[in-house]
Each structure stands twice: as C-alpha cells, then as structure tokens.
Amino acid sequence: MSEPNPYKSEDSGSYEWGPGHQAGTPGYGYPQTPPPPAYQPTLPGGVPVPPQHAPVPLGAAAGAPLLALGDITVVGDQIITPAGPMPLKGAVWNAMDMSRTEEKMPTVAIVLAIVFFIFCLLGLLFLLMKEKQTTGFIQITVTSGGRHHATMIPATGPDTIHWVMGQLNYARSLSM
C-alpha cells in the first residue's frame, strides 16, 4: 500500500480520482451559492396586505338551516358538507339501511326461570321474555354539482329508518 499509484499519469498534476473539481466550487461541479439567511429579508416599500373582512356567519348569509342529516346541512339554496357546498337544485338523495334489530332472551329471564321453576312451574313463563337491540347505521348519500358526499347516521332503534326517510323525502322535495 505504500507504493505509488501505477495508473496515475505524470502530466495530470495533482488530479485525484472522481469528477472534476475546480477551484471555488464544491464537489460534482455545483456552483457555490451563499446560504439563505435565517430570517425573511424585509422588502423595500413593504408588502401590500389584502384587506381583512369580518367573516359573515353562515346563518346570516343564507338563512337558517332547513335540514340537518349527520354532517349534511341544507341552508337556503345550497347543501353544506365537509367536502364543500353543493347546489340544492337537482340534488340526488339516497339512503341505505345498514342496521339490524336482534331479538334475544336476556340473562335475567334465564335466571328467573330457573329460580321459579324450583318453587312452581310458572317459572317457565320467564323464558318468553325477549329484548330487542338495534345496531348499525343508515347511510345517506347526496350527489349534486359534480360532487358526492356520504354520511352515516347511527340507528338507535327500529324506527330510526322511518325518521331518516321522512327527513330524506323533505330534502328531495327541496331539491326539485
């Protein structure tokens, strides 16, 4: 390793291996640029600031909300969603019931049937006890002005779909 490089030509001077390195530039031929300042330099004459207006409340500009289904709100002649406003005229509304109602026998009925079966045969009537539990969601979709938005409303009971369909039919009548 202490031997000189046999492939080094005598006329290259102080050249080592790698891309050309010129004086005053960093490696790989990129020109040396001064680092950006750590602060924003002040422009002469200042920067024009756009006028600040007080935000107009939504209710004052378009009236009171006519309908709210989840995060969809109908105000005046537009539908307000998190995706942005949509025109109310010509909107297509859809609902899909993704809820289910299960009927099961509560554990209290089983315990009471066992306890009262020992004392009298009327304990078997406790096995007729049932409880209904509704789980799931109702999906509402609205399409208008080239936009589409969907929201989910939790089903709290078997009659939730009837309430949602009533609200949806009202929204459809407003869209005509």
Side-chain angles (χ1 to χ4, degrees), residues 6-102:
Y7 301 108
K8 183 176 179 183
S9 65
E10 297 297 323
D11 60 343
S12 65
S14 64
Y15 176 77
E16 297 293 322
W17 67 276
H21 184 73
Q22 299 172 355
T25 61
Y28 299 105
Y30 293 113
Q32 179 70 28
T33 57
Y39 60 91
Q40 178 88 19
T42 307
L43 297 175
V47 178
V49 178
Q52 298 293 322
H53 300 289
V56 179
L58 184 61
L66 300 173
L67 173 72
L69 283 168
D71 57 1
I72 300 173
T73 306
V74 176
V75 178
D77 62 344
Q78 62 182 352
I79 304 165
I80 308 295
T81 65
M86 299 182 211
L88 179 61
K89 194 76 169 169
V92 178
W93 298 84
N94 289 315
M96 183 186 310
D97 186 10
M98 295 187 287
S99 66
R100 67 175 189 259
T101 302
E102 298 173 347

Side-chain angles (χ1 to χ4, degrees), residues 67 88 91-95 141 165-176:
L67 173 72
L88 179 61
V92 178
W93 298 84
N94 289 315
T141 59
M165 289 307 292
Q167 297 291 313
L168 198 68
N169 288 331
Y170 178 60
R172 287 176 179 158
S173 69
L174 292 174
S175 297
M176 291 183 176

Side-chain angles (χ1 to χ4, degrees), residues 99-112:
S99 66
R100 67 175 189 259
T101 302
E102 298 173 347
E103 188 174 288
K104 66 176 190 170
M105 187 182 317
T107 56
V108 170
I110 296 171
V111 171
L112 289 174

Side-chain angles (χ1 to χ4, degrees), residues 106-158:
T107 56
V108 170
I110 296 171
V111 171
L112 289 174
I114 293 171
V115 169
F116 282 100
F117 178 73
I118 295 171
F119 296 116
C120 61
L121 293 178
L122 293 177
L124 294 177
L125 291 177
F126 286 109
L127 295 177
L128 297 176
M129 290 175 57
K130 303 285 185 206
E131 74 176 1
K132 291 183 180 182
Q133 183 178 9
T134 302
T135 57
F137 294 90
I138 299 166
Q139 182 182 28
I140 305 290
T141 59
V142 60
T143 305
S144 180
R147 289 188 174 182
H148 177 81
H149 183 72
T151 188
M152 305 284 266
I153 297 174
T156 57

